[in-house]
Amino acid sequence: MFRQIYSLPRLSRSFASVAKSSGLSLPPAALHLKTGQSFHGRSFGAPKSIFGETVFSTSITSYTESMTDPSYRGQILVFTTPLIGNYGVPKNSAPFDSQDVGVVLESQNVQCAAVVVGDVAEKFSHYAAVESLASWCKRHDVPGITGVDTRAVTRLLRDQGTTLGRLAVGSDASLPAPQVHEYWDPSLENLVDQVSTKEPYILNPSGSIKIAVLDFGAKANILRSLVRRGAAVTVLPWNYDFNSVRDQYDGLFLSNGPGDPAHCMEAALNLRRTLQEWSKPVFGICMGHQIIGMAAGLDAYRMTFGNRGHNQPVLALASAGSIKAGRVYVTSQNHQYALKLQDPFPQGWEPFFINCNDSSVEGIKSTAESGKSVWGVQFHPESAGGPLDTIEMFGDFIAECKMHKQLAGNQDVVAESPMKSETAAPRIAIAA
């Protein structure tokens, strides 16, 4: 027999568990859709009711990054993954230096209007977590509902499209669903203006090249991906007249953002002048990609339910930098609008990527004949929680900016653009 008794140390944090939708500790809540369906459950987070645009995300992880993404502004976010909150929420602060941009997540605040989950974890387990999802939502005044069949909600949204909704909490949950005219449509507002910086600011001022970022609602990891590659980044308001300061910079970046790109026509018209008169590199992501397309003469349209998740396959139609024509890349996405695929494409432009599921335009670029170095992608190469298949596009952009700076400083230098198109987009892809 063992004479010594060994005792296991007590775990400082217990295992994650789910909150039962029938638990009496959580007040009632109801999700009402404008199309007439209602779903009942229990509330967590802020004890308030709210209107919004109901959308779904198929991402399995990174609920904290999704919820702090400014592109979700005004939206009731439905997570298709059944258990949300099991690894809690980290402390959202980081240094301002050549490696970081002040936050750990995608912005300082929770950006979505509300969240809808199958089961919210009451307890969390992660070494970096400092609070639960429920307490985080309450602190940021964001309501949530748990105990909902999120797969049923998702099927409805797939069939009928993104739908306006209302999350009714507490005593409001027992009231009848709102009338059709009472639902608030966030897309009618200029959401970009709400989330964009109001004043210019600089990150990593000692960087070797200077990049201007038009902020339509930039995710922090976009800025982080630039400063970590040696760029001094100046973040400008979305409608800032870049043409008045463009000679100070080696490149221009257009960020992601929420809502309808039609509200940003001022930025598109300013960019059209930039593209006509400026020869330095321009790169856009998501909303920035749509602004580039509109400046080039393409139209943007509202998709049925958009693409939101970390599992969207895109086919490269041209080779440029680290991107190889004919290869399928798995990408992270969050958008409701897209550029129309047309034939012929505007002169000087060609499609860069196409979505393998719905054939929507996932990227455009300037042609080799145009003499420009411009490209945009609908997906998020920086990802932050999703696949990193296309992360090197940031390296391609920085290398292109450095090459142009070198040429400007020494006219005798002959350099080959790292983003030179090796393979033109197939005509059959455009016709499809």
Side-chain angles (χ1 to χ4, degrees):
M1 294 180 62
F2 291 99
R3 295 183 178 276
Q4 188 173 5
I5 299 177
Y6 291 90
S7 62
L8 293 173
R10 294 184 62 184
L11 297 177
S12 60
R13 196 184 301 280
S14 57
F15 295 110
S17 63
V18 299
K20 303 299 183 183
S21 60
S22 60
L24 297 178
S25 60
L26 299 179
L31 172 66
H32 301 296
L33 301 182
K34 185 178 179 180
T35 47
Q37 303 86 357
S38 295
F39 299 83
H40 295 270
R42 295 283 171 173
S43 75
F44 66 92
K48 73 172 188 178
S49 303
I50 198 165
F51 287 96
E53 183 181 46
T54 313
V55 303
F56 67 89
S57 171
T58 59
S59 57
I60 298 175
T61 63
S62 307
Y63 52 84
T64 48
E65 284 78 5
S66 294
M67 291 171 62
T68 52
D69 180 354
S71 294
Y72 280 114
R73 181 79 166 191
Q75 295 180 330
I76 299 173
L77 179 54
V78 180
F79 287 104
T80 58
T81 300
L83 178 60
I84 297 294
N86 54 309
Y87 54 84
V89 179
K91 183 179 180 181
N92 191 22
S93 63
F96 287 94
D97 55 23
S98 62
Q99 296 298 306
D100 230 316
V101 294
V103 293
V104 172
L105 303 176
E106 296 297 358
S107 68
Q108 192 63 52
N109 303 308
V110 177
Q111 300 288 346
C112 59
V115 289
V116 180
V117 303
D119 285 298
V120 66
E122 288 182 322
K123 301 177 181 179
F124 57 91
S125 179
H126 193 278
Y127 75 95
V130 296
E131 63 182 320
S132 69
L133 177 62
S135 66
W136 186 51
C137 286
K138 186 174 183 179
R139 188 162 58 83
H140 285 274
D141 201 31
V142 173
I145 181 173
T146 183
V148 172
D149 186 348
T150 53
R151 287 167 292 186
V153 178
T154 299
R155 291 190 65 178
L156 281 172
L157 297 180
R158 281 191 183 276
D159 292 340
Q160 63 196 23
T162 297
T163 303
L164 300 181
R166 173 171 170 81
L167 180 57
V169 173
S171 58
D172 289 348
S174 60
L175 298 177
Q179 298 296 312
V180 171
H181 68 275
E182 295 180 302
Y183 284 89
W184 170 67
D185 187 355
S187 68
L188 298 179
E189 299 186 7
N190 188 345
L191 301 176
V192 166
D193 191 59
Q194 297 177 18
V195 298
S196 176
T197 182
K198 303 306 178 186
E199 299 292 337
Y201 64 92
I202 300 176
L203 299 168
N204 190 32
S206 61
S208 59
I209 58 169
K210 295 182 178 180
I211 304 297
V213 174
L214 287 181
D215 177 20
F216 297 95
K219 294 171 62 179
N221 205 45
I222 289 178
L223 305 178
R224 189 180 295 116
S225 297
L226 293 172
V227 302
R228 286 184 176 178
R229 288 165 175 79
V233 175
T234 301
V235 183
L236 304 171
W238 71 274
N239 57 351
Y240 193 92
D241 184 11
F242 174 70
N243 292 301
S244 65
V245 296
R246 66 192 185 195
D247 292 338
Q248 303 175 22
Y249 298 98
D250 304 307
L252 173 63
F253 191 100
L254 290 82
S255 82
N256 65 294
D260 188 344
H263 292 299
C264 300
M265 187 58 67
E266 181 182 355
L269 294 176
N270 286 337
L271 180 63
R272 178 172 295 177
R273 179 186 167 195
T274 303
L275 298 179
Q276 292 172 347
E277 302 174 354
W278 207 54
S279 61
K280 295 179 182 179
V282 179
F283 186 20
I285 287 178
C286 199
M287 174 68 78
H289 156 73
Q290 295 165 16
I291 299 299
I292 291 175
M294 291 164 59
L298 293 169
D299 293 325
Y301 70 98
R302 182 182 176 88
M303 304 178 75
T304 303
F305 51 79
N307 291 325
R308 299 176 179 87
H310 298 161
N311 53 356
Q312 288 291 325
V314 301
L315 172 66
L317 303 178
S319 293
S322 60
I323 302 301
K324 305 304 177 185
R327 178 178 169 181
V328 172
Y329 297 85
V330 181
T331 66
S332 175
Q333 300 191 20
N334 172 20
H335 65 100
Q336 184 69 51
Y337 293 81
L339 295 176
K340 287 185 178 179
L341 184 64
Q342 67 180 55
D343 187 18
F345 237 52
Q347 185 176 1
W349 297 90
E350 62 183 350
F352 195 6
F353 293 91
I354 195 167
N355 191 291
C356 297
N357 290 332
D358 58 22
S359 298
S360 60
V361 175
E362 290 284 357
I364 62 172
K365 64 184 293 295
S366 55
T367 62
E369 295 76 19
S370 70
K372 303 290 185 178
S373 300
V374 185
W375 61 101
V377 292
Q378 187 63 70
F379 52 84
H380 287 267
E382 85 291 345
S383 189
L388 298 176
D389 290 25
T390 56
I391 185 66
E392 287 308 315
M393 293 192 75
F394 283 93
D396 297 336
F397 174 59
I398 296 299
E400 184 83 359
C401 292
K402 288 181 176 179
M403 188 271 292
H404 277 260
K405 182 178 181 179
Q406 184 182 19
L407 290 176
N410 187 350
Q411 296 298 328
D412 296 328
V413 173
V414 178
E416 182 176 352
S417 167
M419 288 299 292
K420 180 180 179 181
S421 179
E422 302 170 3
T423 306
R427 302 295 296 178
I428 189 172
I430 304 176

